[in-house]
């Protein structure tokens, strides 16, 4: 789940079978952003989608185009046990240049609203957040999600000299240091990534009429290590996106405070190998609960650094295994390895 799929790069074309692009505007008095990807011939739900800016949750769409006339079906909650998703509303409008205008109406005819949308040129949109590599890459490669997340964060709290900023719709909150543009840009980019994961999850959950959105995404980020040269944060996430069961994971991020570069363990301990790291984890592992964990820890085709998420603490490097399946969740135990057991450290390694 840590690697939830996000929408693909949008390519705006000119043929009737090509994507129409990203539009923003209003449906009635509601601000919306719409992405019209390739049209469909059978009304199957495609990558076309739109969201109300106040919520940021995607509503799936499918559309057909005949000349300047465009008909877009909106598909809302998927009823449990239903054979297929049903359209709940339709946009009927005319495309003229960069404008898309018409009428939105529910399929039962009980509600009708005018809509006016205009194609978005993201290059002209001002940044609502400080400039960062991830934000600029999103603007260049994924205009729809750029428009979604290019919104000012709010101050959640201040603790000492650290300010914690929250994205209002997802609730994802990350720290900012009092100085250091590079490290704060890196923290913002990781936060934006997690905001997209959270909103994607909540969008999926919103298509289930039988589930409360409050069950969808909970994330707690803490600073676990801070020095003049290093910052390490831990992220605990619990989520339910409408699948068979809820799940959870732990992630870690260690940054060079001066450059903002995300550091691997081998950047700090150059002689460390994946096998030696795995051996140290298993040495420190303490079995908790059932089922027995030895088979789970051993049942891997190959050992890699990706088997663990890591973050620094004052006592050492804490590892959390990524390879433990949900059914063996009690075996996903955190283990902290003292720095001295990781080999000879480089110039940045904590002592």
């Amino acid at each position: 789940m840590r690697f939830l799929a996000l929408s693909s790069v949008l390519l705006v074309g000119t043929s009737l079978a090509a994507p129409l692009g990203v539009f923003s505007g209003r449906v009635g008095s509601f601000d919306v952003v719409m992405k019209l990807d390739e049209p469909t011939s059978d009304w199957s739900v495609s990558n076309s989608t739109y969201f109300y800016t106040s919520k940021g949750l995607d509503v799936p769409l499918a559309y057909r185009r005949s000349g300047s006339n465009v008909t877009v079906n909106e598909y809302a909650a998927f009823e449990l046990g239903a054979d297929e998703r049903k359209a709940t509303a339709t946009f009927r409008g005319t495309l003229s240049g960069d404008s898309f205008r018409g009428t939105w109406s529910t399929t039962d005819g009980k509600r009708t609203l005018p809509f006016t949308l205009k194609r978005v040129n993201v290059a002209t949109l001002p940044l609502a957040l400080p400039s960062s590599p991830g934000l600029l890459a999103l603007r260049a490669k994924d205009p729809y999600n750029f428009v979604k997340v290019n919104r000012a964060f709010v101050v959640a709290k201040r603790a000492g000299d650290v300010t914690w900023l929250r994205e209002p719709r997802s609730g994802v909150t990350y720290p900012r240091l009092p100085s250091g543009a590079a490290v704060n840009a890196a923290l913002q980019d990781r936060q934006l990534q997690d905001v997209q994961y959270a909103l994607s999850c909540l969008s999926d959950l919103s298509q289930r009429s039988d589930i409360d959105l409050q069950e969808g995404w909970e994330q707690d980020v803490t600073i676990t290590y801070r020095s003049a040269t290093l910052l390490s944060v831990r992220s605990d996430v619990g989520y339910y996106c409408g699948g068979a069961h809820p799940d959870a994971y732990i992630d870690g991020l260690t940054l060079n405070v001066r450059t903002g570069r995300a550091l691997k363990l081998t950047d700090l301990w150059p002689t460390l190998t994946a096998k030696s790291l795995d051996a140290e984890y298993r040495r420190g592992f303490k079995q908790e609960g059932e089922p027995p964990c030895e088979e789970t820890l051993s049942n891997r085709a190959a050992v890699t650094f990706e088997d663990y998420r890591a973050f620094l603490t004052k006592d050492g490097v804490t590892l959390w295994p990524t390879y433990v399946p949900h059914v063996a969740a009690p075996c996903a135990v955190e283990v902290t390895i003292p720095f001295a057991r990781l080999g000879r450290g480089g110039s940045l390694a904590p002592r």
Side-chain angles (χ1 to χ4, degrees):
M1 159 64 196
R2 183 68 184 90
F3 311 103
L4 277 168
L6 301 177
S7 65
S8 59
V9 177
L10 181 66
L11 301 174
V12 178
T14 56
S15 73
L16 295 183
L20 292 180
V22 177
F23 297 79
S24 67
R26 287 192 167 190
V27 177
S29 60
F30 303 101
D31 292 326
V32 303
V33 176
M34 178 183 290
K35 177 181 70 170
L36 293 178
D37 214 321
E38 292 88 353
T40 61
S41 59
D42 58 357
W43 291 114
S44 59
V45 175
S46 65
N47 288 326
S48 296
T49 183
Y50 85 112
F51 65 87
Y52 290 86
T53 57
S54 61
K55 296 181 178 180
L57 302 182
D58 293 330
V59 178
L61 303 172
Y63 77 96
R64 290 178 177 175
R65 179 182 178 187
S66 176
S68 62
N69 297 318
V70 180
T71 302
V72 184
N73 278 350
E74 171 183 332
Y75 299 84
F78 188 88
E79 298 296 336
L80 199 62
D83 293 331
E84 61 183 15
R85 194 187 300 267
K86 295 182 178 179
T88 55
T90 300
F91 294 83
R92 293 182 176 86
T94 301
L95 186 67
S96 177
D98 289 334
S99 296
F100 181 33
R101 300 170 180 266
T103 301
W104 172 93
S105 58
T106 56
T107 52
D108 60 13
K110 293 182 178 179
R111 192 177 186 193
T112 299
L113 295 171
F115 72 86
T116 301
L117 306 176
K118 185 176 181 179
R119 186 177 281 113
V120 175
N121 179 0
V122 293
T124 66
L125 293 181
L127 297 181
L129 296 166
S131 180
S132 63
L135 184 63
L136 296 179
L138 199 62
R139 178 163 67 177
K141 298 179 180 180
D142 190 347
Y144 178 75
N145 274 307
F146 168 78
V147 176
K148 182 185 293 184
V149 302
N150 182 39
R151 295 165 63 88
F153 295 157
V154 298
V155 175
K157 64 178 180 180
R158 290 186 171 89
D161 63 350
V162 177
T163 300
W164 293 80
L165 299 182
R166 178 172 57 87
E167 196 283 324
R169 296 164 301 179
S170 65
V172 174
T173 302
Y174 266 76
R176 300 292 189 274
L177 301 188
S179 61
V183 70
N184 284 334
L187 288 167
Q188 174 176 285
D189 284 344
R190 176 56 69 93
Q191 184 171 6
L192 288 172
Q193 173 183 283
D194 287 355
V195 166
Q196 290 179 83
Y197 289 144
L199 293 178
S200 176
C201 177
L202 293 172
S203 294
D204 290 343
L205 194 60
S206 71
Q207 301 308 306
R208 290 277 298 274
S209 60
D210 57 321
I211 299 175
D212 190 338
L213 274 180
Q214 292 183 348
E215 300 178 26
W217 189 275
E218 294 183 357
Q219 183 168 3
D220 182 35
V221 177
T222 55
I223 294 175
T224 59
Y225 186 90
R226 182 182 173 190
S227 69
T229 55
L230 297 173
L231 176 73
S232 199
V233 297
R234 164 187 179 144
S235 179
D236 290 80
V237 175
Y239 64 91
Y240 179 63
C241 306
H245 48 68
D247 213 335
Y249 66 84
I250 298 172
D251 203 358
L253 173 67
T254 298
L255 299 171
N256 182 320
V257 170
R258 295 193 178 99
T259 67
R261 177 172 171 248
L263 300 173
K264 301 177 182 178
L265 291 179
T266 50
D267 293 322
L268 302 175
W269 292 276
T271 62
L272 184 66
T273 66
K275 286 187 177 181
S276 63
L277 183 70
D278 185 64
E280 289 297 336
Y281 175 82
R282 296 178 65 160
R283 180 196 298 270
F285 179 84
K286 294 181 179 179
Q287 183 168 317
E288 297 183 5
E290 296 292 338
C293 299
E294 183 60 32
E295 182 178 353
T296 298
L297 297 180
S298 304
N299 190 21
R300 285 174 285 161
V303 174
T304 72
F305 282 108
E306 290 303 310
D307 289 342
Y308 298 99
R309 293 293 174 259
F311 52 89
L312 307 181
T313 73
K314 63 180 180 60
D315 298 317
V317 174
T318 297
L319 301 178
W320 181 81
T322 63
Y323 54 87
V324 176
H326 177 80
V327 293
C331 297
V333 175
E334 299 172 44
V335 170
T336 299
I337 302 171
F339 296 135
R341 297 198 63 87
L342 296 173
R344 184 175 180 178
S347 60
L348 285 176
R351 302 292 192 264

